Amino acid sequence: MESLTVPYIKGDGVGPEVTSAMMRVIDAAVAKAYGGPRRIDWMEVPAGGSAYEKYGTYMPDSTVDAFRQYGLGIKGPLMTPVGGGIRSLNVYLRQTLDLYVCLRPVRWFKGVESPVKHPENVDMVVFRENTEDIYAGIEWEAGTPEAQKFYGFLRDEMGVTKVRFPETSAFGVKPVSREGTERLVRAACRYALDHGRPSVTLVHKGNIMKFTEGGFKKWGYELAQREFGDAISSGRLVIKDCICDAFLQNVLLKPEDYSVIATLNLNGDYVSDMLAAQVGGIGISPGANINYDSGLAIFEATHGTAPDIAGKDIVNPCSNLLSGVMLLEHIGWDEAAGLIYDALERSFAEGCATADLARLMPDGRVMGTREFTNHLIGLL
């Protein structure tokens, strides 16, 4: 593989800044690692606010088609339209392309300040189900004919009597399927075995939501035993579960007990951000949306558009950069990925970072986005 075309969305707000920094560092690392025979050909595709201004749509079909054609891509943060239109551009991409895993690795870099005493013990990879649960978007607003009709069905056809204030209630439906659960847990187990990680923990709220979250737990265990029974019986893989509220406590008290996490959509949203906070925040937290059956993968910054600081040369580009590192690992360019990890570790150990991180470091040196990017390139 001499060159690789990668579609990218620059994003809204701070998106153009973090995307530019990511591409510059990735290009420099690839050139350093391989001396020229390999390169990435970046292909910009439109989405977000700038796409709406030019094309009258926040997500042109050509953008989705490009991701399908090339099988991977990367994106900066995207705005969520206010009022009508797409509920979330990120959710739209995940649903449309069936990117059923939101992959969020969480690790600590020496030198980064943390609110916990031992952030070095936080080393987890979250497999968050991406297409079901409440993020399926099946809900009806309070007071609408649809909400009244839905309540009438619950009352008259299903015998539901537990809605306390039906006239003013909004309603949502939480679909959780065996198939959706199995493909997520399968991907998590394979990842654990491929990367020498000792356990997969099913995080759920099955004690209360017995048929949705409880089904996730049940189906997850059954899949693991059926398809990975040899690895389990030999001790190469441990499958366990934890109720979500207890899990949020446990990862503060004994994070070393957890390695790979498999969980549903809403739980995964809370869990991944809380874990990111333990190692310095979502500013250094990467992410990817992956279909492990088709191989299609879109990597992304995990933070928002931050319009209040856009264009001020102060945004931390590390979330998008580390998502780019995940992309390099995904395509097997591990040498280039390793160079970037090393450069980040050296920079943080020196106290050199953007303001959000450097202000918390003893003797931290605050760098602007461009200066920090140049510094990392110099450390490759």
Side-chain angles (χ1 to χ4, degrees):
M1 187 184 297
E2 297 299 314
S3 66
L4 185 70
T5 299
V6 176
Y8 74 94
I9 296 170
K10 66 182 179 182
D12 296 310
V14 297
E17 295 170 86
V18 298
T19 298
S20 173
M22 177 273 298
M23 291 191 297
R24 289 186 59 214
V25 176
I26 294 288
D27 285 344
V30 169
K32 177 78 171 181
Y34 308 114
R38 293 181 180 178
R39 71 177 190 276
I40 291 178
D41 295 327
W42 302 100
M43 182 178 76
E44 183 177 357
V45 291
S50 59
Y52 187 81
E53 292 175 4
K54 187 172 182 178
Y55 302 103
T57 177
Y58 290 100
M59 186 64 68
D61 291 341
S62 61
T63 294
V64 179
D65 291 342
F67 289 137
R68 282 199 183 101
Q69 178 182 351
Y70 291 100
L72 79 167
I74 191 166
K75 55 180 281 298
L78 289 172
M79 62 176 290
T80 297
V82 177
I86 296 173
R87 183 181 300 248
S88 164
L89 296 173
N90 297 322
V91 172
Y92 176 79
L93 275 175
R94 296 165 185 168
Q95 294 277 354
T96 303
L97 296 172
D98 196 25
L99 303 172
Y100 60 84
V101 170
C102 180
L103 186 67
R104 294 283 295 270
V106 185
R107 57 160 289 185
W108 179 67
F109 288 91
K110 185 177 181 180
V112 175
E113 286 296 302
S114 164
V116 299
K117 291 182 177 179
H118 295 288
E120 68 277 7
N121 292 336
V122 180
D123 182 12
M124 300 179 214
V125 181
V126 178
F127 277 70
R128 170 190 174 192
E129 203 289 319
N130 237 353
T131 63
E132 298 189 321
D133 199 4
I134 65 169
Y135 282 75
I138 306 170
E139 60 176 357
W140 298 277
E141 185 179 3
T144 62
E146 292 81 6
Q148 294 172 1
K149 183 177 182 179
F150 184 72
Y151 173 66
F153 171 76
L154 292 178
R155 180 193 60 213
D156 300 335
E157 301 295 329
M158 303 300 291
V160 173
T161 60
K162 295 181 180 179
V163 181
R164 191 173 299 275
F165 303 109
E167 297 303 318
T168 59
S169 291
F171 296 93
V173 175
K174 175 188 176 77
V176 178
S177 70
R178 179 189 293 272
E179 293 88 346
T181 296
E182 288 185 344
R183 65 182 184 173
L184 179 85
V185 175
R186 180 182 296 115
C189 290
R190 285 176 177 168
Y191 183 97
L193 290 170
D194 289 344
H195 292 81
R197 288 181 168 266
S199 67
V200 173
T201 303
L202 308 175
V203 175
H204 61 91
K205 192 63 178 170
N207 58 326
I208 301 299
M209 291 171 275
K210 297 184 183 298
F211 303 121
T212 51
E213 305 253 345
F216 174 82
K217 172 191 171 182
K218 175 179 179 289
W219 297 325
Y221 270 119
E222 291 174 349
L223 179 282
Q225 189 60 54
R226 186 172 68 246
E227 297 190 10
F228 301 94
D230 290 344
I232 294 170
S233 62
S234 69
R236 291 189 296 125
L237 182 64
V238 173
I239 306 296
K240 52 188 176 178
D241 74 278
C242 189
I243 294 172
C244 192
D245 46 329
F247 177 79
L248 294 174
Q249 172 185 243
N250 292 347
V251 292
L252 286 170
L253 298 174
K254 47 182 180 179
E256 63 277 4
D257 286 358
Y258 300 99
S259 182
V260 176
I261 310 304
T263 190
L264 288 167
N265 213 324
L266 182 60
N267 294 335
D269 201 356
Y270 300 150
V271 164
S272 55
D273 279 9
M274 189 276 284
L275 291 176
Q278 291 184 241
V279 298
I282 59 173
I284 54 171
S285 176
N289 303 287
I290 303 174
N291 184 313
Y292 279 91
D293 302 318
S294 69
L296 178 58
I298 299 177
F299 302 83
E300 65 180 355
T302 60
H303 54 72
T305 59
D308 55 319
I309 62 171
K312 296 182 180 181
D313 191 40
I314 60 175
V315 64
N316 181 355
C318 287
S319 176
N320 212 27
L321 173 57
L322 285 167
S323 298
V325 173
M326 290 178 69
L327 186 153
L328 292 174
E329 294 172 330
H330 181 75
I331 62 176
W333 294 12
D334 294 339
E335 297 85 357
L339 288 175
I340 298 173
Y341 282 132
D342 291 344
L344 285 168
E345 288 179 337
R346 290 169 60 190
S347 183
F348 294 146
E350 296 169 353
C352 296
T354 48
D356 58 319
L357 298 179
R359 64 185 175 83
L360 301 174
M361 297 173 174
D363 302 318
R365 176 185 168 189
V366 175
M367 291 182 164
T369 308
R370 288 188 292 271
E371 182 184 8
F372 178 63
T373 302
N374 292 335
H375 183 66
L376 290 178
I377 292 172
L379 292 174
L380 293 173

